[in-house]
Amino acid sequence: MKNSLNEEEEEEELEIFEVPPQSLPAKPNLKGDWLNFFLLILLYTIQGLPLGLAIALPIIFQSKKIVTYKEQAFFSLVAWPYSVKIIWAPIVDSLYVQWIGRRKSWLVFVQFSMGMVLLYTAMNIDEWLPESGMPNLKALVITFCVISFLAATQDIVVDGWALTMLKKNNVGHSSTCNGTGVALGVLIGTICPVLLTSEDFCNKYLRTTLSTGGLITIKGFLFFWSIIIMLITTFIGIFKREKDDTLEDGHVKINVFKSYKLLWKILKLPNIRVLAIALLTMKIGFSATDFVSKLKLIDAGISKDDIMIITISMYIVKFIVPLVVSKYTSGTKPMSAYLNLMPIRLLWSIAYVILIYYTPILIQHNGVVNVPTYYYLILVFISIIHEILAYTMYLFTLGFFSRISDSRFGGTYMTMLSTIASFGWVVSHTLALRMIDVLTFSKCSNDDENNCSTIDLKNMCKIKGGDCNIIVNGYYIEVALCMIIGFVWYFWYKKTIKNLQTMSLSNWQVNLNRLDGEKKEEL
């Protein structure tokens, strides 16, 4: 009797983890779920805004020719919070105010904080990013790392909420909400700071009479969105009720310590370990094309305004793609479609290499830049194919993550998978930018001792009346190395990835009686 009582007390203290019975999901149908569908798109849009700003600032830096690729690599650190968010994801999953809601209590706090930091950034951006002169990179990196940290935390919350906000048969559509919302947020975060602040762009396309300055300022943009985010958060806090997932079958309530033990148990699953290695390395093959090509086009003479116009047009593709491929992302084998597209995307890097190589010849005549119409048509065509391939493959991975994640602790599980994938992305991003200068060899035309490796050395060469001539362009070397690595990855992991997606959901779940792993004593 004593043993029985002790056992009952242990069961109360260490809540039981039992994988609920699995059944085939019903066919997706958004009837009755449309409001939740659009709310998720709105929340993902807020998340995408800081990502857009992180994309816009390097383009502004490059257009002003005020930083090196080494300094661009330093600024790329602002994306790293997305890659380590798994460190605090269990806290988000475990600590919350029950009467507010498991996800909403975090969402309200995080989005209000994001609005306040954006407001602080607006008050200082003119000092940190002056019209002329070097930007205060240290202040920008620190501030945007904080903003990225908050956005990454919001991502944990929304990913977890999506698994319960939508009906079970519609969970696969969370990748559609993610893809469309983040794309819209990134679009807003890039178009406004780059194009609407540009005097040349506004005078050429948006004004009937010439004027100075852009339609908006970066300061005004940041101030506006800080207020909008806080207003949206207020409305969600007041009017959106979160479903009480403690009433769901298989729900598990655990404390922070056990959440980290749970995370460790998940990471020890054989399938997860294999998948993690694949996710960490799958982006290397595309890194040079994805992260350096646009900057190289600006170096070749294409204006940042033209690059941004083309980038904006690509978002039309990003809005359409999630709707077209939704039946594949919500299906049972999204990674098979991913693998089918991978060789095409790797080979498409050659199109960018050829275009960038011939760009100076096609757009410059006697030292004067005059971009012909056919060049833009070629660039837009190459960009459209690239965006379709890249974004479709991204959505396929999200669909796979949604399918295998355990909704009982969805915030932690989805965050773990997306963090691993994101870490592979940002490491590839930083290395791709950093290695360009390492692989590029230049020399001043009238000073053999000057290798033009820094902004100061380049300015010194110009002062002496020389030009920095590139002897070996590191971009082409890097693209070739990345393609080789990409094809090695494809042939190495193709069979493994296909096998992983055919395994039952129980292979992706922690099937334990107790978190400490001890077996339950028998009476």
Side-chain angles (χ1 to χ4, degrees):
M1 185 66 176
K2 184 177 180 181
N3 288 339
S4 178
L5 289 174
N6 289 339
E7 186 174 311
E8 289 178 4
E9 290 174 357
E10 287 180 359
E11 287 181 359
E12 289 179 1
E13 181 182 357
L14 296 171
E15 295 169 42
I16 295 176
F17 275 58
E18 294 178 354
V19 178
Q22 301 298 322
S23 58
L24 292 176
K27 185 177 180 181
N29 184 357
L30 285 172
K31 184 178 180 180
D33 239 355
W34 281 109
L35 286 178
N36 292 327
F37 181 83
F38 288 117
L39 175 58
L40 286 172
I41 290 177
L42 177 61
L43 294 176
Y44 280 118
T45 299
I46 293 173
Q47 180 194 143
L49 188 69
L51 294 175
L53 290 168
I55 294 171
L57 289 176
I59 293 175
I60 294 172
F61 297 156
Q62 199 71 17
S63 66
K64 293 181 178 182
K65 301 186 183 300
I66 53 177
V67 297
T68 64
Y69 281 98
K70 180 180 179 180
E71 290 165 328
Q72 290 277 24
F74 174 59
F75 185 79
S76 72
L77 294 177
V78 302
W80 279 64
Y82 277 91
S83 305
V84 294
K85 60 187 176 182
I86 191 59
I87 294 174
W88 63 92
I91 298 175
V92 176
D93 245 2
S94 303
L95 299 181
Y96 54 90
V97 181
Q98 183 67 46
W99 65 270
I100 297 177
R102 184 180 184 184
R103 308 300 179 186
K104 196 171 78 170
S105 53
W106 276 98
L107 185 80
V108 171
F109 170 74
V110 168
Q111 289 192 172
F112 263 119
S113 300
M114 190 187 302
M116 293 301 296
V117 177
L118 284 173
L119 184 61
Y120 173 77
T121 306
M123 296 167 60
N124 293 277
I125 194 66
D126 289 341
E127 178 184 346
W128 295 342
L129 188 62
E131 286 294 327
S132 59
M134 284 292 294
N136 188 340
L137 277 178
K138 184 177 179 181
L140 288 170
V141 168
I142 292 173
T143 304
F144 277 92
C145 275
V146 173
I147 295 173
S148 294
F149 168 78
L150 293 170
T153 306
Q154 193 253 29
D155 183 32
I156 299 170
V157 177
V158 179
D159 280 350
W161 200 355
L163 298 178
T164 55
M165 185 187 297
L166 295 173
K167 296 176 183 177
K168 289 184 178 180
N169 59 310
N170 291 326
V171 166
H173 285 293
S174 62
S175 62
T176 304
C177 299
N178 188 318
T180 302
V182 172
L184 180 59
V186 172
L187 174 62
I188 295 169
T190 51
I191 181 176
C192 296
V194 176
L195 291 185
L196 298 187
T197 62
S198 170
E199 179 180 320
D200 292 339
F201 175 83
C202 293
N203 285 335
K204 186 176 181 180
Y205 295 104
L206 303 179
R207 291 180 175 139
T208 55
T209 57
L210 299 181
S211 182
T212 58
L215 291 180
I216 65 171
T217 62
I218 296 180
K219 179 178 181 177
F221 170 78
L222 293 173
F223 180 80
F224 173 80
W225 276 102
S226 67
I227 301 301
I228 290 296
I229 289 174
M230 287 189 281
L231 286 175
I232 290 173
T233 305
T234 301
F235 279 108
I236 291 174
I238 296 173
F239 297 108
K240 176 61 180 174
R241 295 185 62 182
E242 183 177 353
K243 181 172 63 176
D244 188 358
D245 60 2
T246 60
L247 303 177
E248 294 286 324
D249 292 337
H251 170 76
V252 177
K253 174 72 167 68
I254 54 177
N255 59 34
V256 175
F257 177 72
K258 293 192 180 75
S259 288
Y260 281 101
K261 292 192 74 174
L262 167 67
L263 177 59
W264 179 244
K265 293 290 184 182
I266 296 173
L267 288 170
K268 288 170 66 178
L269 290 173
N271 290 348
I272 291 295
R273 285 183 292 181
V274 174
L275 179 62
I277 297 173
L279 293 174
L280 287 171
T281 54
M282 68 195 308
K283 297 292 181 67
I284 296 176
F286 319 119
S287 57
T289 303
D290 289 355
F291 306 131
V292 185
S293 294
K294 289 181 181 178
L295 301 181
K296 279 297 179 180
L297 285 169
I298 294 174
D299 286 345
I302 305 298
S303 72
K304 69 175 178 63
D305 292 348
D306 291 339
I307 293 295
M308 285 309 305
I309 291 172
I310 294 171
T311 300
I312 291 166
S313 66
M314 294 304 104
Y315 279 92
I316 298 174
V317 176
K318 289 187 176 183
F319 293 142
I320 296 172
V321 167
L323 303 176
V324 174
V325 303
S326 61
K327 70 175 183 179
Y328 300 103
T329 57
S330 59
T332 58
K333 295 183 178 181
M335 293 307 291
S336 290
Y338 180 100
L339 292 169
N340 290 338
L341 294 178
M342 188 170 185
I344 302 173
R345 185 178 171 191
L346 288 170
L347 291 173
W348 198 249
S349 300
I350 299 173
Y352 266 114
V353 168
I354 295 172
L355 179 67
I356 291 171
Y357 180 81
Y358 285 103
T359 291
I361 300 173
L362 297 175
I363 69 172
Q364 294 184 17
H365 304 280
N366 298 322
V368 178
V369 175
N370 183 19
V371 185
T373 302
Y374 70 83
Y375 178 88
Y376 285 121
L377 294 176
I378 295 172
L379 178 55
V380 168
F381 173 74
I382 292 174
S383 299
I384 287 175
I385 302 300
H386 174 263
E387 289 297 334
I388 290 175
L389 293 170
Y391 211 61
T392 302
M393 292 170 71
Y394 166 71
L395 293 173
F396 287 152
T397 58
L398 289 182
F400 181 59
F401 293 166
S402 298
R403 193 177 71 83
I404 65 176
S405 293
D406 191 334
S407 62
R408 294 174 298 166
F409 20 85
T412 297
Y413 212 122
M414 282 288 289
T415 299
M416 177 196 68
L417 294 173
S418 61
T419 297
I420 294 170
S422 178
F423 188 76
W425 182 85
V426 297
V427 170
S428 299
H429 183 185
T430 301
L431 288 177
L433 290 170
R434 184 65 184 90
M435 292 303 295
I436 288 294
D437 283 339
V438 174
L439 297 174
T440 298
F441 298 92
S442 303
K443 185 174 68 173
C444 183
S445 59
N446 58 6
D447 185 359
D448 291 339
E449 301 297 324
N450 188 342
N451 62 6
C452 298
S453 59
T454 66
I455 293 294
D456 291 338
L457 290 174
K458 290 178 181 179
N459 291 335
M460 188 181 299
C461 180
K462 290 181 181 179
I463 292 173
K464 293 183 178 181
D467 295 314
C468 287
N469 299 323
I470 296 177
I471 301 172
V472 177
N473 194 322
Y475 171 74
Y476 305 122
I477 298 175
E478 190 169 294
V479 170
L481 291 174
C482 287
M483 284 183 62
I484 293 171
I485 294 172
F487 275 108
V488 170
W489 186 98
Y490 173 76
F491 289 110
W492 185 272
Y493 277 103
K494 182 179 179 180
K495 185 177 180 180
T496 301
I497 296 297
K498 286 186 175 182
N499 289 336
L500 287 176
Q501 72 177 351
T502 59
M503 293 181 176
S504 69
L505 295 182
S506 60
N507 288 303
W508 299 97
Q509 296 177 332
V510 178
N511 189 7
L512 299 176
N513 284 330
R514 283 183 275 174
L515 270 180
D516 56 13
E518 295 176 2
K519 292 184 178 180
K520 197 172 167 185
E521 293 181 4
E522 296 183 2
L523 292 177

